[in-house]
Amino acid sequence: MAVPGLANVRQIAAGEQTTCALLQSGQVLCWGLLLRGARGQPTQIDGLQGAVSVTVGGFHGCAVVADGSVRCWGQNSNGQLGDGTDDLRFGAVPVPGLANVVQVAAGSQHTCALDRAGFVWCWGQQEQGQVGNGHRAREPVTRPTLVSGVADAAAIAAGESHTCALKRDGSVMCWGSNAQTSVAGRMAPCSACSGAIHRGEPRVEVAIAAVRDSPMTLAMPKSRIFTVYGAPSRRAWARKMFSGLR
């Protein structure tokens, strides 16, 4: 069925029970449990203009703006909006301390941003080490913190409680929950234990995905040969689903 009120859509992002659409105009419209009012009616996010990409987590969303800044909205009980508070925000608020951001990825209750220099910044829930600061604690990280050990990243992906970065040399680094060996199994990034893919291939384009409600990570370089991390049953499912993709 068609979603009413949408036209000239540039990107769609779906979260746990929320969906957002980025329009060609740079406006973002969302519907679902993220917002007040009618759940099925797309509603424009206040305080957000000039967006170039959007991501949706468990019950929060974030967007990269044309000037390289990041703005977030929604639930904030674990600091996943990165504004230094745990206040619920129905309108988009700026994430301080970030500049020249090219991508943002939202997990269930954490968020990460990739800047133009290839560095990764994360904030939010850190009980599973998904922020990548080498710690695992109940106290959330409410402002962006630099992920140590990650440089020259080309793309990032956030799952429910883990995060991965695809580097420009084609290798992958992951951190956070490792319940099904979907990541490196560390509170800080590790490349050797997750395995590198196509090391040495120049400037791998965005081709990494962390499945939010399943402990699985998929990576694909320019050669389009998939590498799948996770439980054997999940790996088999992914290979069957994507084996014909070219």
Side-chain angles (χ1 to χ4, degrees):
M1 60 176 288
V3 178
L6 290 182
N8 301 314
V9 175
R10 177 177 177 179
Q11 180 195 351
I12 288 288
E16 190 167 335
Q17 296 184 54
T18 305
T19 308
C20 293
L22 170 63
L23 307 185
Q24 294 289 353
S25 64
Q27 297 174 317
V28 175
L29 279 67
C30 298
W31 58 99
L33 294 183
L34 191 66
L35 297 172
R36 295 172 292 189
R39 294 182 177 180
Q41 182 65 40
T43 304
Q44 183 176 338
I45 299 298
D46 294 333
L48 181 59
Q49 297 289 336
V52 296
S53 66
V54 63
T55 183
V56 180
F59 297 98
H60 74 290
C62 293
V64 178
V65 184
D67 63 4
S69 63
V70 174
R71 302 182 75 90
C72 297
W73 62 92
Q75 288 192 5
N76 195 26
S77 57
N78 278 286
Q80 56 264 52
L81 302 190
D83 64 346
T85 77
D86 59 1
D87 297 334
L88 175 69
R89 307 285 191 181
F90 288 110
V93 295
V95 180
L98 294 176
N100 301 315
V101 173
V102 296
Q103 185 190 355
V104 63
S108 179
Q109 297 187 58
H110 77 287
T111 312
C112 295
L114 169 67
D115 67 25
R116 188 173 291 113
F119 294 107
V120 179
W121 305 76
C122 295
W123 59 93
Q125 189 181 64
Q126 62 169 341
E127 291 187 25
Q128 300 296 325
Q130 58 266 55
V131 172
N133 60 359
H135 301 288
R136 187 166 54 199
R138 291 184 179 276
E139 187 70 21
V141 176
T142 61
R143 291 184 183 274
T145 181
L146 181 65
V147 178
S148 60
V150 176
D152 293 324
I156 56 173
E160 183 174 357
S161 299
H162 74 286
T163 313
C164 291
L166 180 62
K167 299 183 67 179
R168 290 168 182 164
D169 67 0
S171 62
V172 175
M173 301 185 76
C174 296
W175 55 96
S177 175
N178 194 30
Q180 298 290 341
T181 63
S182 52
V183 302
R186 298 289 182 89
M187 293 177 288
C190 171
S191 58
C193 39
S194 65
I197 59 167
H198 297 270
R199 183 174 295 277
E201 184 172 359
R203 288 197 68 84
V204 177
E205 297 175 351
V206 55
I208 187 168
V211 183
R212 180 165 292 112
D213 291 324
S214 176
M216 180 174 65
T217 305
L218 299 93
M220 184 177 71
K222 289 180 181 178
S223 61
R224 301 199 175 188
I225 300 174
F226 272 102
T227 297
V228 184
Y229 309 101
S233 60
R234 296 294 184 179
R235 294 198 301 267
W237 172 85
R239 292 189 178 105
K240 180 178 179 181
M241 289 292 294
F242 298 111
S243 61
L245 185 60
R246 294 290 185 272

